[in-house]
Amino acid sequence: MSAILSAQDLNDFIGPGLACINPVVVNRSDTNGPTEIQIDASGNPVEVSIDDGSSNATAKTATQLTPAQINLSDCLACSGCITSAESVLVSLQSHTELLSVLRQSRGQHVPKDINDMEIMKPKRVFVASISHQSRASLAAAFNISVDAVDAKLVTLFRDVLGFQYLVGTGVGRQVSLAYSAQEVLLKAGKLADINSLSVEHKRPVLASICPGWICYVEKTHPHVLPYLSAIKSPQQITGSLLKRLISEEADVSADDIYHVSVMPCFDKKLEASRPDFATGEGVRDVDCVITTKEVVQLLLDEHIDFMSISEAQDACMGGFQAMAPKLWPTEKSWESSEGSSSGGYLWHVLAALGDEIAKVECKTTNLKIILGKNSDMVEYHLVTVDGNKEEVVAKAAQVYGFRNIQNLVRKLKTGSKTGARSVVTARAKKSAGAAIAMLSPSEYDYVEVMACPGGCINGGGQIGAPTSDGDAVGLKEWRDMVEKKYKSMRSSVVERRAVQEWAATIWGPDIDSLVTTSYRAVEGFDAKDAVPAVLVGDKW
C-alpha cells in the first residue's frame, strides 16, 4: 500500500472482504519426502529436504524459493475486497519506480564513444500527461495560479527530470467527451447517420471513466455492466494517442516510450494496469500513474522546493507546443471544459442532445437543475418550452460517492421506478415549491457516476487540506478552494465533429480501438481450492 495513503483519506469507506483470494501458486521442488522452509545465511527463503538420512545440515538438498508477489493485474482479478480508493498499490505504479526508471535510463545514455551517435541515442523517450484536477490541487496547495503551476511543471519535468514531452489531458478528454455524447445520442435515437462507432448497451448510459466505480461493478454488481459507457477515459485515450504520434515522430518503438500520467486518484493505477489497455506485445498506453500527492512526495524525496522552481518562460498557451508532439493541438491540451470538475461529461451530453433537438426539431431547450437529498445527488432536466408549456425531453443525473452509488445499483437491479420524476416535500411546498430529485435510473439518458464524494476534484490522490496551526482549513472549505482553482482554467467548447475528424485522421479508420473498451464480471475463486494470499482486517 502506498506510504502516503492514510486512513484519513478514505472518506467514503466500504469495508473490504475477509481475504484477498488471489491464490498463491506453490511450486514444489522435485525432491521426494518431507521438506521444511528455512532462511539461509543471506536471508533468502529455501526449501530443505529433511529425509536424506544425513545429520550434516550442509549435505541436505536446498532449493531457493521465489518470493510471492501480488501485482495490480492480480488485484483486478480478485473479488475479495472492495474499497473506494485504497487498492493494492505496488512498486510498478509509484513515484519511486518513476525515479528508478529515470536513473536507470540516464545510466544507459552515457556514451562509450563520443562519436558513436547510436550509443548516444536515448534508450527511452519520457512523456508526461497531467490532469486538470491535479493542476488545480497543486495550485491550491501552494496558493498560486494554475498558470504558474503549469509553468513550474514544465521546468520540473523538462529541465529537472529530463522528460522530452509534456501535455495536459485536455485533448484526450475532448475525444472522450465527443464520443460519449455520440454514444448517448445514438442510444436516444437522436442520430442515425454517424458511422464507425459500434456500441450496444441499455439505458441509462452510465459514465465509465471512474476506475473505482468500474472495479466495484465488475466485482460485485455484474447486472450493471450492460449500462456502462463503452468510451475510454481521457487517461487511456491520451496514452494511446501519445504513443502513436511520438513513435512516428521520434522514430522509436512504442515500447521505448515511457508514459507517466499524473492523476487525482489512486484507482487510476488499476485502470492503467488493465490488460485491455495494452497491445498484444504488452505495451501499455500508460506505463506509470502517480497521484498529485506523489508529485509532492517526489519533490520531498529529491529535496526540491516547488516554490523555488523557476517558471518556464515559454510556458504560455501556445508555448507548450515545444513540449508536445507536432500534430498535438496544444491549446486544447491545457484548456478545461464546461461542466463538473469531474470532466463535464453530463453537461456535454446534455448540450449535445440540446443541439440535436434544436437542429432537427427547431426547438429551444433549457436546463433545469433539481437538487437531491445531498450535494452528490443532482438531477438535470432538458426541457423545451412552447408558450407556458414545458416538456422534458431528456434527463440525466450526477451520482457521486458510494452511498448514492449503492442506491443506484440497487434500483437498476430491481428496475425500480420508486417515486415520480420529482417529489415535493411538505416543507418544500410551504416554502418555495422546490422539488427534491429522486434517483430514478430508468428515466435517465445518462448518469455521471464517480466513486469519490465531490467527484474527481476530491480524489483520494489529491493534496489534503492544511492542518498546521494557523493554516488549518476545513474539508469542505478546502474542496471549494480547489474547485475555484479548477474553474479558473481557460475552457473551450468541445466541437464534437471537429474532434472526431481529428482523431480519425491521427488514428485511422479503426477508431473503435482508440475510443472504446469493454468490461466484464470478475469471478471469484473457490476459497476451498485457494490459499488466501493476504488476510485483511476491517480496515487497511
Side-chain angles (χ1 to χ4, degrees):
M1 189 170 179
S2 172
I4 61 174
L5 180 61
S6 61
Q8 287 75 18
D9 300 321
L10 310 178
N11 54 13
D12 197 22
F13 186 82
I14 291 181
L18 293 179
C20 170
I21 59 173
N22 190 51
V24 174
V25 179
V26 181
N27 295 316
R28 296 184 60 85
S29 67
D30 296 330
T31 304
N32 293 324
T35 61
E36 65 180 13
I37 305 299
Q38 297 181 3
I39 304 298
D40 65 14
S42 301
N44 300 314
V46 293
E47 182 184 22
V48 180
S49 170
I50 60 175
D51 68 340
D52 59 2
S54 171
S55 59
N56 183 359
T58 60
K60 296 180 181 181
T61 304
T63 304
Q64 186 165 337
L65 300 175
T66 303
Q69 294 183 339
I70 297 176
N71 59 37
L72 285 173
S73 296
D74 293 328
C75 184
L76 286 171
C78 168
S79 59
C81 59
I82 291 293
T83 63
S84 59
E86 72 285 20
S87 303
V88 179
L89 308 179
V90 293
S91 59
L92 291 182
Q93 296 281 338
S94 68
H95 70 285
T96 54
E97 174 64 14
L98 168 60
L99 290 173
S100 175
V101 172
L102 283 167
R103 291 188 178 108
Q104 182 184 17
S105 181
R106 290 190 190 116
Q108 292 174 340
H109 293 175
V110 177
K112 296 179 181 178
D113 184 344
I114 194 65
N115 297 315
D116 191 339
M117 298 306 295
E118 184 61 32
I119 294 177
M120 293 183 68
K121 186 176 180 180
K123 296 293 184 182
R124 270 185 166 176
V125 175
F126 287 88
V127 54
S129 59
I130 304 178
S131 68
H132 299 68
Q133 295 88 352
S134 293
R135 294 158 59 204
S137 182
L138 287 166
F142 291 99
N143 194 26
I144 57 179
S145 69
V146 175
D147 286 343
V149 165
D150 294 343
K152 289 178 180 292
L153 288 174
V154 169
T155 300
L156 172 65
F157 279 91
R158 180 185 64 190
D159 302 335
V160 179
L161 298 178
F163 276 63
Q164 291 92 330
Y165 295 90
L166 175 68
V167 301
T169 55
V171 172
R173 178 192 282 187
Q174 289 217 0
V175 174
S176 182
L177 286 171
Y179 281 97
S180 293
Q182 176 178 306
E183 180 184 37
V184 177
L185 290 169
L186 285 168
K187 198 65 183 178
K190 300 299 182 183
L191 285 181
D193 59 344
I194 295 295
N195 53 28
S196 74
L197 189 65
S198 54
V199 290
E200 293 184 5
H201 46 67
K202 298 180 180 179
R203 289 176 69 188
V205 177
L206 306 180
S208 61
I209 64 165
C210 173
W213 152 242
I214 293 301
C215 287
Y216 179 65
V217 170
E218 288 186 319
K219 293 177 181 179
T220 64
H221 295 289
H223 69 276
V224 177
L225 290 171
Y227 299 95
L228 292 176
S229 168
I231 307 303
K232 292 181 185 179
S233 72
Q235 171 178 279
Q236 299 309 132
I237 293 175
T238 298
S240 296
L241 289 169
L242 284 173
K243 291 213 169 183
R244 169 71 64 87
L245 289 174
I246 293 172
S247 178
E248 295 174 353
E249 178 179 309
D251 191 25
V252 296
S253 69
D255 193 34
D256 288 330
I257 300 169
Y258 193 84
H259 175 208
V260 178
S261 179
V262 181
M263 287 285 146
C265 173
F266 285 100
D267 285 338
K268 283 292 181 180
K269 298 171 186 280
L270 290 176
E271 179 180 74
S273 298
R274 293 182 70 93
D276 314 63
F277 299 143
T279 66
E281 294 75 32
V283 178
R284 296 191 180 279
D285 299 329
V286 181
D287 297 284
C288 181
V289 176
I290 60 174
T291 63
T292 321
K293 280 183 178 179
E294 288 174 300
V295 171
V296 174
Q297 191 62 48
L298 182 151
L299 294 170
L300 293 173
D301 291 351
E302 297 300 297
H303 308 290
I304 300 171
D305 180 7
F306 189 71
M307 291 304 293
S308 297
I309 296 176
S310 62
E311 298 179 15
Q313 296 301 309
D314 59 347
C316 57
M317 198 57 64
F320 284 110
Q321 185 62 54
M323 289 290 290
K326 292 178 181 177
L327 298 179
W328 199 260
T330 308
E331 290 192 5
K332 301 294 183 185
S333 184
W334 296 95
E335 288 177 345
S336 187
S337 50
E338 296 292 335
S340 72
S341 53
S342 296
Y345 282 78
L346 182 147
W347 187 94
H348 188 70
V349 164
L350 289 180
L353 283 167
D355 289 344
E356 290 300 320
I357 290 170
K359 183 175 67 175
V360 176
E361 303 178 19
C362 299
K363 293 181 179 179
T364 301
T365 57
N366 294 325
L367 190 62
K368 283 195 168 184
I369 301 174
I370 302 175
L371 301 179
K373 293 181 179 179
N374 58 70
S375 60
D376 285 326
M377 170 59 211
V378 184
E379 197 169 277
Y380 296 80
H381 293 185
L382 191 66
V383 300
T384 57
V385 180
D386 183 8
N388 294 326
K389 182 182 178 182
E390 289 186 351
E391 180 185 0
V392 177
V393 293
K395 293 184 67 178
Q398 173 183 297
V399 178
Y400 292 173
F402 274 111
R403 291 180 179 86
N404 290 321
I405 285 174
Q406 287 175 311
N407 288 330
L408 173 67
V409 298
R410 185 178 66 252
K411 291 187 177 184
L412 284 170
K413 186 172 185 177
T414 61
S416 172
K417 295 185 179 181
T418 303
R421 294 195 168 198
S422 61
V423 173
V424 181
T425 64
R427 176 179 293 181
K429 287 180 179 178
K430 290 181 180 179
S431 57
I436 296 180
M438 299 298 290
L439 195 55
S440 304
S442 61
E443 299 179 2
Y444 299 147
D445 293 283
Y446 188 80
V447 185
E448 186 176 281
V449 188
M450 302 293 159
C452 292
C456 296
I457 201 70
N458 192 42
Q462 296 283 70
I463 302 168
T467 56
S468 59
D469 293 340
D471 296 324
V473 176
L475 294 178
K476 185 180 184 305
E477 183 182 355
W478 179 250
R479 190 167 76 185
D480 290 343
M481 290 172 65
V482 180
E483 183 86 25
K484 185 176 180 179
K485 292 291 185 181
Y486 180 92
K487 295 298 184 184
S488 72
M489 296 181 194
R490 285 176 290 270
S491 63
S492 61
V493 176
V494 178
E495 299 175 0
R496 181 163 49 87
R497 287 181 173 80
V499 170
Q500 291 172 329
E501 289 173 3
W502 177 84
T505 299
I506 298 298
W507 198 257
D510 184 24
I511 198 68
D512 274 10
S513 65
L514 171 66
V515 300
T516 66
T517 187
S518 61
Y519 303 101
R520 62 194 63 85
V522 175
E523 300 295 335
F525 295 95
D526 190 333
K528 71 177 184 294
D529 297 328
V531 180
V534 180
L535 293 179
V536 183
D538 289 336
K539 289 191 177 183
W540 291 38

